[in-house]
Amino acid sequence: MAKERDHHPNKEKKLLVGVIWNFSTELKLIFMALLFIFTLATLLPFIPSSFSLSSSDFRFCISRFSPAVPVNITSTSVNKTEVTELVLDNGVIKRTFTGHGSAAYNFVTMSAYRGGVNSFAVIGLSSKPLHVYGHPSYRCEWVPLDPTQHPVSTTGFKILTDWGYGRIYTTVVVNCTFSSTSAVNPQNSGGNLILHATTGDPSLNLTNSIPVLTEPPNSVNFNLYTSPEKKKYDYLYCGSSLYGNLSPQRVREWLAYHLRFFGDRSHFVLHDAGGIHGEVFEVLRPWIELGRVTVHDIRDQERFDGYYHNQFMVVNDCLHRYRFEAKWMFFFDVDEFMYVPEKETVSEVMESLEEYSQFTIEQMPMSSKICYSGDGPARTYRKWGFEKMAYRDVKKVPRRDRKYAVQPQNVFATGVHMSQNLQGKTYHKAESKIRYFHYHGSISQRREPCRHLFNDSRVVFENNPYVLDTTIRDVGLAVKMFEMRTIGDRLLRTRQ
């Protein structure tokens, strides 16, 4: 045992020497580098001021010994110095101005659709100042895939749909109608639609040629545009951009109510601008699986600053995308509930309005802050939102917002509260036939909406008069039964 202890120090020394010997080359390099840096630091105070050594030089020196690491480098192009002024013979100093970069795009494409045998619609965004103060123009060109056929072009008719509400960008719908009905893909042999967007600058007049639509051979059903076939849907809902932290329960209630209201031959198109988060999507999932709801993810449009998440562009895309699939299209929000009198049905009301291309719908404003407690406080909190928010605002105002419905084949472009670009008549006195109840702000409350309970037929709250209106409340049980029969109890655990 004593001998073994005597040999341990020798073994440790040999091990240390072996390690140093194996890494001698690397250790020498490290010591040499440290010696060089310390020597340089000692000599720097004695170097003349005319000689400078910056920190970047140190970084370069050290980087020679460092392993290669990928670095993000932003390259900047530097233009040659341009002459910005010139003295003319008469002594006048002529100044010049040079533009650099782009503050907004000339045209942002969302979609393009065929609108008939010889017409198309292109939907997108463009610079708002360009259209307010400039004179941009559009030309549409059809280029056949068959090289033996000649391209044809026409002047594009632009429609600005946002009523002046645009921000950096404004919504533009370009109507491309070609003069000859046989000019656009007559043999169904395919082709490309090109949009030539011109800025209208008198000196530069820049033009962007944008491929917006491709039709493969034999892909067009011309009967869709020439024969009055029965539509796939009687009613199609086109929703505006959904954004913010929406309440899953309020979305559940709204959807169940309107799916029952419009019937089996209806379809709902929703546009997700950030509002359809995971919990809301779980509410939509059963109806998507049944083919009653379609969701479009439009979050990428947030890159382009337009009015209310570019809702004017979104509803115009919906209009033209489903234009030939629905007899009627409705445009309203997810905190608004449609209603027809008890003795009438939706189909009867719509039949009575068939002679009109568009009709507007009067608003019934409801409070989203006060609730009816006639069932007792405990039962009230278990009710659905539209069952307990039963007080209607009766303050007299000059006008209230309206929503609307259209026969889409007669509409060229649309807005949020009505269309101004259509053929045919518009009806503005349909309040005896159809109305909508508006629960403003309720959709974005992720909590119990009832903060103030009343059990009176008339209430004054925050200096506003309200009356008890149970019109929507009264159909609550029927809506719940409809949901249960259709999708079962999948949504029973939905939270506020």
Short mmCIF file of all heavy atoms in Angstrom, two decimals, residues 76-80:
data_model
loop_
_atom_site.label_atom_id
_atom_site.label_comp_id
_atom_site.label_asym_id
_atom_site.label_seq_id
_atom_site.Cartn_x
_atom_site.Cartn_y
_atom_site.Cartn_z
N THR A 76 -25.41 48.70 -48.78
CA THR A 76 -25.97 50.00 -49.12
C THR A 76 -25.35 50.48 -50.40
O THR A 76 -24.12 50.59 -50.50
CB THR A 76 -25.71 51.01 -47.99
OG1 THR A 76 -26.24 50.49 -46.78
CG2 THR A 76 -26.36 52.35 -48.32
N SER A 77 -26.18 50.76 -51.38
CA SER A 77 -25.65 51.27 -52.65
C SER A 77 -25.52 52.78 -52.56
O SER A 77 -26.43 53.47 -52.11
CB SER A 77 -26.58 50.88 -53.80
OG SER A 77 -27.86 51.41 -53.58
N VAL A 78 -24.40 53.28 -52.96
CA VAL A 78 -24.13 54.71 -52.91
C VAL A 78 -24.09 55.23 -54.34
O VAL A 78 -23.28 54.78 -55.16
CB VAL A 78 -22.79 55.00 -52.21
CG1 VAL A 78 -22.53 56.50 -52.18
CG2 VAL A 78 -22.79 54.43 -50.81
N ASN A 79 -25.01 56.12 -54.65
CA ASN A 79 -25.04 56.71 -55.98
C ASN A 79 -23.94 57.75 -56.14
O ASN A 79 -23.50 58.37 -55.17
CB ASN A 79 -26.40 57.37 -56.25
CG ASN A 79 -27.53 56.36 -56.22
OD1 ASN A 79 -27.33 55.20 -56.59
ND2 ASN A 79 -28.70 56.81 -55.78
N LYS A 80 -23.52 57.90 -57.34
CA LYS A 80 -22.54 58.95 -57.62
C LYS A 80 -23.16 60.32 -57.36
O LYS A 80 -24.35 60.52 -57.51
CB LYS A 80 -22.07 58.86 -59.08
CG LYS A 80 -21.30 57.57 -59.39
CD LYS A 80 -20.86 57.56 -60.84
CE LYS A 80 -20.09 56.27 -61.16
NZ LYS A 80 -19.68 56.23 -62.58
#
